[in-house]
Amino acid sequence: MALDSDALAQLCAALRRFVDEELIPAEAEVAETDAIPGRIVAQMRELGLFGLTAPEAFGGLGLTMEEEVRAIFELGRAAPAFRSMFATNVGIGMQGIAIDGTPEQKAKYLPRLASGELIGSFALTEPEVGSDAGSVRTTARREGDTYVLNGAKRFITNAPHAGLFTVMARTDPAQKGASGVSAFAVERGTPGLSLGKPEKKMGLQGAHVCDVILKDCRVPASALIGGVEGQGFKTAMKVLDKGRLHIAAACAGLSERILDDMLAYAVGRRQFGKTLADFQLIQAMFADSKAEAYAARCMVIDAARKRDAGLNVSVEASCAKMFASEAVGRIADRNVQVHGGNGYIRDYRAEQLYRDARLFRIYEGTTQIQQIVIAKALVSEARAAAGR
Ligand SMILES: Cc1cc2nc3c(=O)[nH]c(=O)nc-3n(C[C@H](O)[C@H](O)[C@H](O)COP(=O)(O)OP(=O)(O)OC[C@H]3O[C@@H](n4cnc5c(N)ncnc54)[C@H](O)[C@@H]3O)c2cc1C
């Protein structure tokens, strides 16, 4: 159910305060220790961040897409590792069950995902399967009332903390493409499921990814999400359409934060008897960054409204994800430039946010994959219009 405008404004104001008073001041500690302090995770739970999008019937806030992106504009202003802590529960680690799960799967998992008691991860990528997501090699062989899963999943966000994995696996080995893939809800502790070592990453210290290994991992047939084989890739694409708008909103929020940092530095630092902010070459960087951050925000809101209206927004979600993630990269780069030598030094957040922002162009579909999605739709429309 949509919030009224006052309730949404109050939620966004509370999130902005949380970001300014708790998250941004903790950024250095999180980057240093590679961990989000327990007190902050507890505050996230209290604020309902793990359940922003879970249906109200299961204890979530049930935000619409537009409400979600407005909340993420605020939360995206903090270093992205914080959002990563609850984002798999809001998005890819929960939506498969929320969108396509059976009533029993929803009742079993959604309340605990919404409260943050259970962390959900989404396991699609494999060592040999990345952008070509439909060619999943992990197998799920039916044996009586069970499925036996074998394969390896790579770079799975929050896997070290997860209690539940949405795993994409091939149930029909004869079918090499996406239609042979099914989605499974696999619980941590299931014999045959093990984790690799957390990866050492370029950025997002405090957020953790690792391999998920499935070796004769036997799950009950009731773990098949939606109860129907061959629907897994469709489920993954629905999850990713929504996820791409969420990521685009995070990029727009981070863009605005970085621009604030850039301005704050430039009005304080003096060279040639003036502040940096007096130089027109520096001002051009502010103007370009503002225009790009504003464009990203507008695209995200437009696409979110269309999705809420029931339209297919695959193209708009890809446009928003591609534009916003590329834009935040340029803005983070300008911020380093405005900071000069300090921009290269770890005591300032400019270099951290520059490294953090780099991930947005890679996960949940690289920029090239967004280009392919957009172009494919355009060409197919043009062919249809031309009757070819
Ligand atoms: C920190 C982190 C967290 C992640 N979290 C998750 C997660 O929670 N769950 C999950 O399932 N995955 C996750 N991933 C995986 C991520 O989604 C993939 O890394 C991403 O989709 C790219 O796949 P790849 O790394 O195999 O690159 P590849 O597919 O090998 O691509 C390499 C390069 O080739 C380009 N390319 C590929 N195909 C084409 C083409 N047809 N045309 C033009 N260019 C092409 C790509 O754009 C890219 O530039 C995560 C990754 C990272 C780094």
Side-chain angles (χ1 to χ4, degrees):
M1 192 184 81
L3 299 177
D4 65 40
S5 57
D6 280 352
L8 180 61
Q10 273 173 21
L11 173 69
C12 289
L15 297 180
R16 180 166 277 256
R17 269 197 309 280
F18 180 55
V19 166
D20 288 341
E21 293 170 12
E22 304 292 340
L23 301 190
I24 292 179
E27 283 178 349
E29 177 191 351
V30 168
E32 199 58 38
T33 59
D34 193 19
I36 309 229
R39 67 181 152 77
I40 289 187
V41 178
Q43 285 172 304
M44 288 173 172
R45 288 206 180 101
E46 271 165 38
L47 281 165
L49 300 190
F50 291 88
L52 287 177
T53 58
E56 282 172 291
F58 297 105
L61 289 182
L63 297 189
T64 63
M65 193 74 234
E66 183 180 351
E67 291 164 350
E68 177 183 346
V69 298
R70 288 187 185 279
I72 298 302
F73 288 151
E74 300 303 335
L75 292 159
R77 289 173 55 253
F82 291 109
R83 190 193 50 82
S84 196
M85 182 74 231
F86 58 82
T88 52
N89 279 38
V90 168
I92 57 176
M94 184 276 286
Q95 287 294 334
I97 293 172
I99 296 174
D100 281 341
T102 61
E104 294 73 27
Q105 288 163 349
K106 291 181 186 182
K108 187 170 181 192
Y109 296 120
L110 292 183
R112 287 193 293 146
L113 288 167
S115 69
E117 177 196 332
L118 187 67
I119 299 294
S121 276
F122 177 75
L124 171 62
T125 304
E126 300 179 358
E128 302 302 327
V129 178
S131 299
D132 184 11
S135 63
V136 160
R137 294 183 181 185
T138 296
T139 55
R141 194 180 65 248
R142 178 99 196 205
E143 278 188 11
D145 280 350
T146 64
Y147 284 92
V148 181
L149 276 63
N150 277 290
K153 296 292 178 178
R154 177 134 298 168
F155 303 146
I156 306 308
T157 299
N158 280 337
H161 314 290
L164 182 68
F165 300 86
T166 297
V167 176
M168 297 295 155
R170 187 166 301 282
T171 37
D172 183 356
Q175 181 51 259
K176 296 289 173 224
S179 54
V181 176
S182 302
F184 292 88
V186 183
E187 295 179 12
R188 189 191 195 98
T190 307
L193 184 150
S194 62
L195 301 178
K197 273 202 310 210
E199 303 287 353
K200 292 181 180 154
K201 309 187 298 335
M202 174 193 284
L204 264 83
Q205 275 64 40
H208 306 120
V209 304
C210 71
D211 282 1
V212 177
I213 299 131
L214 302 148
K215 195 159 183 293
D216 293 330
C217 176
R218 191 178 295 272
V219 296
S222 60
L224 175 67
I225 293 180
V228 184
E229 287 187 9
Q231 296 299 307
F233 192 73
K234 285 190 194 136
T235 298
M237 290 306 111
K238 288 184 220 167
V239 167
L240 287 176
D241 263 4
K242 195 165 159 52
R244 284 169 184 169
L245 282 177
H246 177 111
I247 294 291
C251 294
L254 187 61
S255 295
E256 290 167 4
R257 148 75 187 287
I258 295 175
L259 177 55
D260 288 346
D261 286 1
M262 210 190 291
L263 285 159
Y265 186 82
V267 297
R269 168 92 175 158
R270 297 182 75 82
Q271 288 295 294
F272 299 98
K274 292 177 174 177
T275 68
L276 297 180
D278 289 314
F279 301 124
Q280 288 185 337
L281 291 174
I282 297 283
Q283 290 175 358
M285 291 198 250
F286 303 152
D288 290 350
S289 301
K290 175 68 189 173
E292 288 178 348
Y294 177 52
R297 178 179 269 260
C298 291
M299 284 173 92
V300 170
I301 290 177
D302 178 67
R305 283 184 180 155
K306 285 185 174 145
R307 190 179 185 283
D308 285 337
L311 300 176
N312 177 343
V313 295
S314 289
V315 167
E316 287 83 353
S318 285
C319 289
K321 200 271 182 181
M322 176 175 79
F323 180 82
S325 63
E326 293 283 337
V328 73
R330 289 189 292 271
I331 294 168
D333 184 64
R334 289 182 199 121
N335 188 36
V336 171
Q337 198 66 15
V338 168
H339 278 71
N342 285 334
Y344 206 70
I345 300 299
R346 200 148 278 192
D347 289 349
Y348 292 78
R349 298 269 69 75
E351 72 86 30
Q352 179 194 333
L353 297 179
Y354 174 77
R355 287 183 288 107
D356 286 352
R358 191 62 185 84
L359 178 61
F360 288 124
R361 289 150 66 188
I362 297 173
Y363 68 177
E364 300 210 18
T366 63
T367 290
Q368 289 70 37
I369 292 307
Q370 311 307 332
Q371 288 174 314
I372 290 169
V373 170
I374 298 162
K376 220 170 156 181
L378 294 177
V379 171
S380 129
E381 267 174 39
R383 288 216 169 103
R388 296 177 189 202

